[in-house]
Amino acid sequence: MQNPSKFCFSTLALGKNYRALALELAKDLAQFAPNIPFVILTDNPQDFQEMSNVLAFPHQQQSIGCYHDKLFVIEKGLSLFNSCIFMDADMRILAPITDALNWQPGITAKIAWHNIVKHNKNPREIEIFQKVAQKFNLQLEDITFVHECLFVVTRDEGREIDFIETWKRMAAYCELNKYYRGEGHSIGLAAAKSGLKIRTDSMEYISFFKDKLEWQKIKNGETDIQEKSVYIQRQKELEYPQISLFERVIKKLFKIIMYLYRSIKLKIYSLTDIRFFYG
């Protein structure tokens, strides 16, 4: 049931490892934000059936690299709530979060960098996004990169719908060009095309652990590794568990098969708009 006056947390949890990580995050949210629903798109909703704060929906990986599947999480969250906070499944919550939060329409990001050209120094990637920007009559220098680990999308008179649909096309375009990541760039371009404003917010009201950001803090001497050692060790155990050689072989074969399957689906989808994808 739609409830436009409230918001939700959300994440993507595909595969045993990421379901285990998302379950840890769900427990954190149950403790620190018990009144805020947690929307999860996952390939096994039963793993979350004991969590009363979780709304788990079945989902099978759509994009080849999986990174762009975040858009389906946002799409589902916004179909139920006015605002949807996306969080990576491997994050942890460290302190209480108030349920009296509000955001302006559009995108609110913890980390965002203006001017993709200045942010990204990879010529091949810039070439891909430059071509898309031209198709949308946009200047790439005006596009903001959104760090995808923590951001909020709030309804904006239907612009969020165009944003999601444009992101889907962006994802397909990138993957047709063998670039399987880059969702932060796609978010920025899709937002610009749809007229969805991007704002930055320190989000100090959400105290969290994210390994990559934490390692950067440790490198810069901003925090002590011992303070977060419990979280670092727990994530390592869940994300990179020990598995047998047989399991690794089966996993590798399955990955190859699904790569071929999704590549074929992508080629078929691209035929629906040949001018955009190949023009």
Side-chain angles (χ1 to χ4, degrees):
M1 181 179 297
Q2 292 188 357
N3 190 342
S5 65
K6 293 185 178 291
F7 65 92
C8 69
F9 291 105
S10 67
T11 198
L12 180 69
L14 301 178
K16 181 179 179 180
N17 300 5
Y18 279 89
R19 292 197 305 271
L21 289 165
L23 186 58
E24 292 288 291
L25 178 55
K27 292 176 181 177
D28 289 344
L29 289 171
Q31 176 184 356
F32 293 122
N35 299 321
I36 306 173
F38 185 22
V39 172
I40 301 178
L41 263 59
T42 176
D43 49 358
N44 191 4
Q46 288 81 3
D47 280 5
F48 305 94
Q49 61 184 352
E50 302 298 325
M51 302 302 301
S52 60
N53 63 322
V54 170
L55 300 175
F57 298 94
H59 177 79
Q60 297 298 322
Q61 182 177 334
Q62 299 298 308
S63 59
I64 294 176
C66 194
Y67 299 97
H68 289 286
D69 275 42
K70 294 179 177 71
L71 70 88
F72 298 104
V73 180
I74 299 299
E75 183 176 40
K76 188 63 177 181
L78 290 177
S79 74
L80 301 170
F81 301 92
N82 190 57
S83 295
C84 177
I85 306 175
F86 182 87
M87 308 175 72
D88 278 344
D90 60 0
M91 292 173 66
R92 299 292 303 274
I93 300 300
L94 310 178
I97 302 172
T98 178
D99 55 3
L101 297 173
N102 290 287
W103 296 273
Q104 296 183 56
I107 296 174
T108 304
K110 167 73 174 178
I111 302 172
W113 295 296
H114 184 63
N115 189 343
I116 284 180
V117 177
K118 184 178 179 180
H119 165 72
N120 191 326
K121 301 302 181 181
N122 186 304
R124 178 176 172 273
E125 294 173 13
I126 288 297
E127 181 183 3
I128 292 172
F129 294 117
Q130 194 72 262
K131 289 181 179 179
V132 175
Q134 291 172 359
K135 291 176 184 290
F136 293 155
N137 294 317
L138 299 170
Q139 294 295 320
L140 198 58
E141 291 81 2
D142 297 332
I143 305 303
T144 298
F145 171 90
V146 175
H147 198 297
E148 64 280 357
C149 77
L150 178 60
F151 65 100
V152 186
V153 182
T154 300
R155 293 178 184 173
D156 185 9
E157 300 179 340
R159 294 182 182 88
E160 72 281 356
I161 297 174
D162 184 58
F163 164 71
I164 292 293
E165 293 305 314
T166 303
W167 187 356
K168 290 178 182 178
R169 297 174 75 201
M170 281 290 310
Y173 188 90
C174 288
E175 296 199 326
L176 281 168
N177 285 276
K178 308 299 182 182
Y179 182 51
Y180 302 116
R181 303 175 64 95
E183 66 270 40
H185 303 79
S186 295
I187 291 170
L189 278 161
K193 189 267 180 184
S194 62
L196 212 59
K197 291 185 178 179
I198 298 175
R199 303 174 179 87
T200 56
D201 183 346
S202 63
M203 295 192 184
E204 294 180 358
Y205 42 81
I206 301 179
S207 178
F208 66 92
F209 166 85
K210 169 66 178 176
D211 63 332
K212 292 181 180 179
L213 298 181
E214 206 63 39
W215 282 115
Q216 189 62 43
K217 289 181 181 179
I218 292 170
K219 180 180 178 181
N220 295 336
E222 299 172 4
T223 188
D224 185 348
I225 189 172
Q226 295 301 321
E227 294 179 6
K228 302 295 173 58
S229 60
V230 173
Y231 296 102
I232 292 172
Q233 182 60 35
R234 182 58 174 162
Q235 179 181 342
K236 183 178 178 181
E237 292 172 357
L238 295 176
E239 191 168 359
Y240 306 106
Q242 295 293 321
I243 60 175
S244 67
L245 176 60
F246 176 76
E247 289 177 301
R248 289 200 294 270
V249 171
I250 294 299
K251 188 175 181 179
K252 182 67 173 180
L253 288 174
F254 181 76
K255 186 176 181 178
I256 292 172
I257 292 170
M258 294 311 297
Y259 172 84
L260 294 173
Y261 168 71
R262 294 185 188 109
S263 295
I264 293 172
K265 281 186 62 179
L266 178 61
K267 290 288 187 181
I268 294 173
Y269 171 74
S270 70
L271 296 178
T272 62
D273 192 346
I274 295 176
R275 183 175 180 181
F276 176 80
F277 291 112
Y278 299 105

